[in-house]
Amino acid sequence: MSARRSTGARSAKRQRQISDAAAKLFRAKGYANTSMQDLADEVGILKPSLYYHIHSKEDLLYEIFAEIHEDVQNIITEIEARDDLDDAAKLRLWARLHVRHAITHQEKIAVFFQEVGSLSPERMAPIMVMRQAYERFVLSLIQSEQLRGEIDPALDAKQLSLLAFGVLNWMHTWYQPRGAAGDERLADLCADFIVGGLQSLATQGEKRLAP
């Protein structure tokens, strides 16, 4: 490994350490109450050294928000590549991947919902673009299932998508590590709960239309 590549790898590792430490402190103390000295102490470096890796505390908050939303863009890409799956299976896969993402990024997702109003509007704008694209993707899967009659087409698809997100987005408030096998069972349970619940609404629609 060249000296330049080695230095780059160390810098990236340190950057991730700082980002992880920031997420931990922002969640525990709040963004406004966390100082740059707190961050330096948590990472174990001198405060001036911290500025070698970041320019401001807001940069860290932005990086946390961007990281989790760039990852959900990868979820969209992964699902869209599965031409072998129908929309019901894609909806189930989405729920499983969303749960895995929530488990992997529990600390940072908690910071997002806790500090969503702390980022400047200018820096929040690209985050919202990614977030809205993710929400539209899930909405499109639900709408496709409504067209197939698997979900009651009389219901508001937007409300259903928000309901699905509402069930999964707050995992950071109650999730406890269960080990790899336990986490996979949890992902399956959430997928069954979301998809099974939405599909049961087709039956409800039929009941309302019955004479």
Side-chain angles (χ1 to χ4, degrees), residues 130-203:
M130 290 187 283
R131 186 166 190 81
Q132 289 163 2
Y134 189 47
E135 292 172 350
R136 286 194 303 272
F137 173 71
V138 175
L139 175 63
S140 71
L141 294 179
I142 292 175
Q143 289 172 328
S144 294
E145 285 299 277
Q146 286 181 309
L147 290 173
R148 294 177 61 236
E150 297 298 323
I151 299 174
D152 184 357
L155 296 175
D156 186 327
K158 179 67 172 180
Q159 289 182 349
L160 296 181
S161 68
L162 292 175
L163 176 63
F165 276 111
V167 170
L168 300 181
N169 276 348
W170 296 96
M171 285 184 60
H172 64 273
T173 64
W174 55 264
Y175 168 76
Q176 295 295 326
R178 291 167 169 79
D183 288 344
E184 285 303 305
R185 285 196 295 270
L186 177 61
D188 287 336
L189 174 63
C190 289
D192 290 342
F193 185 82
I194 294 295
V195 179
L198 290 174
Q199 289 180 339
S200 72
L201 296 176
T203 303

